[in-house]
Amino acid sequence: MNIVELARLLEAQIVGNIDAVNLETYGVSIDSRSLQHGTKTIFFALTGNNHNGHDFIPMLVEQGVRLFVVHKLPLLKYENVCFLVVSDSLRALQHFASYRRDLFTYPLIGITGSKGKTIVKEWLNFLLGSEYTIIKSPKSYNSQTGVALSLFGIQKQHDLGIFEAGISTVKEMDFLESMLRPTISVLTSIGDDHQEGFSDIEQKIDEKLLLFKNVNVGIVPYDEMILSRLKFVPRLVSWSFQNDSATVQFKYKKDGILEVLCDGIRFDVSVPFNDEASLQNMASCICTMLILNYSAEQIQTRIPNLYGIELRLQVKNGQNNCIVIDDSYNADFQSLKIALDFLEKHHKGGLKTVILSNVFQSGFGEEELYGKVKELLVANQITKFIGIGPAVSKYKEIFKGDTLYPNLDSFLQKFSVSDYHDETILIKGARSFRFDKIVNLLEEKTHETILEVDMDSIRHNLNFYRSKLNTETKVMVMVKAFGYGNGSVEVAKLLSHEKVDYLGVAFADEGIALRKAGIKIPIIVMNPEISAFPAMLAYELEPEIFSFKVLNAFLKLAREHNEHLYPIHLKIDTGMHRLGFFNSELLKVVEILKHTNVLEVKSVFSHLSSSDMPEYRDFTLSQIKIFKEACEVVKQGLNTNPIRHILNTSGIFNYTEHQMDMVRVGIGLYGVGNDEVENNQLLNVGTLKTIILQIRELDEGESVGYGRRFRTVKRTRIATIPIGYADGIHRSWGNGIGEVYINGEFASIVGSICMDMLMVDVTDVVCEEGDLVEIFGKHVSVSAIAAGTGTIPYEIMTSISQRVKRVFFES
Ligand SMILES: *Cc1c(COP(=O)(O)O)cnc(C)c1O
């Protein structure tokens, strides 16, 4: 296809230089941060709630991108760049994707449902993989853009597609359906999650069933309402664990045996999981196999080998100061690209290393495939590559200068931990390669207690607050106190990736640590100490100026360093009475700054004392009023237009209309809002967990712990857990007040909390030594602990000791 043909396909108007591009080897991107095809990218500028792809065009042109699909032309003229102007660039992207899909006629399985989409997709891929060359969507790429991007991976050599379709509101499925054109559609389940975008469950079902519009075969859980709506489907297969009318009936007998009854034939399958969700997902898979004419024997031999799917890439602390990214479950070509992006995001300087198994399902010939793998490695500036597997190790010519092993054993024989230092290591292999063994060797051995930080939740929470704001309002995120206990460097990396405008820290040291880790976005230091000023200039940290003493000292030093317009931030005391200038002092501040261009007042700000307390609404409004007056004085006096900001997390929620030019999000990002309504829209970020160290049975009348503060009144099972007040668990959480969560039950903390341990009553909890214990997380909230110990969530979060290892999760 040439440009003119592409333009015709997308119904686009061509503006600019056609000769700048030769379409032959182009790839598609919508994310300015990840250009897997480098300069050979067609960039679709999409607009979302919180971002606008058009903003990145100048940067991308600078990086050498030449072809853009836009719905708004930039004002600036560019030479040697071609724009395809369309009315809606998302629809153009989708149209392009469906064009690609239509080039191929092989069957395509579309999967939708409230739960289990990704698992069913991955399991089908495993179950059908010996017979078919499958193209599947990577990870859970199931959105309006995810499906489109997945479809660009389709190649001639594939002969079966398996794709997910996920929706969150009405009018979405039609677009997904018209791109995917599934021939077989699978509905995994109908649950009540993701209900917000729909008026009721029927509306949600109707929307999901649009995926069945053009299919030959539909596979659904047995349900009258669903079946009546799908009467038009030529071949409809329903399954059920209860209803005799279903096409395929399942019965879980016991001890891992599942009975299948279909067309009067009965056979048993042994299943590796027996929880309800897994059984339902297996039912969808078995029905699909039956439809594709697999025999009972094939089903019986393959289902027992199904495995748990780890959907997320895990970031772990490695030995010798390495970072280990564990992706030892999956090695298809599409997900390699995603993993390399992920590596870039988590890279903090030092070498970039990739350990990779054979790659599957690319749809390319083998040699072409490894050529493409090498191109990706070069484009991502991977410094060290180790290929393990019979196929990858054949291509010595392609991987010149890299290390290749025919199998894991030969790698392990040569392995020495001391060969890895200060590296970010991506370990990516298909599950059968057992790369989890490599992860084990490189991972730092941690003490059993960890704080697991869910980066996806942080992103969700950030977007939640962004969705409350006007698009032009800037966002500063407070990452002080070690990112409220969650790990400042990691959180800051994510935030700079998400393009927040500012970071806030309390002390210069915290800012310096971020700079050393490669964080480039502006950082404000809230409590700058005069002794730290030289280091702040050296690391481009911007001070909060709250007094004449600080102002004069900083001005003097900046002048000595010949600074020009160095950014500072004026803090106004509007009633908090912590730090800041009173309005009455501002004319004098203006007087000092008016005659110099050494410093620039980048922003003016103040802090609310009670934005979470409705009873002080009048006071808060008076703070805001005083602040606005202060801003005017500075603006007039200096004839500038500084960024104005006053709202913290609860301020954003309760005083949205006073967001002004920027807001400062803190605790909300980490998952704690100031009331139930707000909390329900946030996701939990931190999970503090450990294991049971020992369990003992005590007779009636025994005592537990220091000071004998707990006495048994009956035979009691006591579990000892290796976490105590030195880890940051308040001692006042003991003696029957607090509870921990074990295997779906709550267990009360008995006796006094010790320095490194505490004891809980597990008489009514089914558990054994080594079982996981949640101290806080999804089931025990930080807010509940705060309420029980008479403090606030901020204190609980920031008290977790640095000896507790942080482990970061991200999809
Ligand atoms: C900590 C802090 C914030 C953030 O407050 P949250 O209640 O956590 O959102 C905002 N502004 C200033 C000046 C702060 O010190």
Side-chain angles (χ1 to χ4, degrees), residues 478 480 484 526 578 605 607 648-649 664-667 794:
M478 306 307 294
K480 58 193 180 192
Y484 287 49
M526 297 290 169
R578 188 169 69 178
F605 74 112
H607 196 42
N648 64 339
T649 302
R664 302 187 303 271
V665 189
I667 194 137
Y794 298 76

Side-chain angles (χ1 to χ4, degrees), residues 99-163:
Y99 161 80
R100 181 146 189 102
R101 156 71 179 115
D102 288 342
L103 295 177
F104 304 98
T105 53
Y106 44 78
L108 191 145
I109 304 177
I111 306 174
T112 190
S114 304
K115 292 202 193 85
K117 291 186 289 292
T118 307
I119 306 235
V120 169
K121 180 194 71 190
E122 295 292 332
W123 278 357
L124 282 176
N125 176 54
F126 168 80
L127 294 165
L128 312 177
S130 327
E131 287 74 28
Y132 294 94
T133 307
I134 298 170
I135 167 84
K136 64 181 168 81
S137 34
K139 304 270 157 199
S140 29
Y141 269 40
N142 61 25
S143 64
Q144 296 288 313
T145 49
V147 167
L149 293 175
S150 305
L151 281 169
F152 289 109
I154 283 200
Q155 303 288 340
K156 263 208 242 25
Q157 289 86 337
H158 294 121
D159 53 16
L160 176 68
I162 310 181
F163 288 85

Side-chain angles (χ1 to χ4, degrees), residues 489-508:
V489 170
E490 290 77 6
V491 173
K493 279 222 124 191
L494 174 120
L495 295 171
S496 53
H497 193 74
E498 293 300 318
K499 302 213 182 295
V500 307
D501 301 279
Y502 263 97
L503 295 175
V505 297
F507 295 101

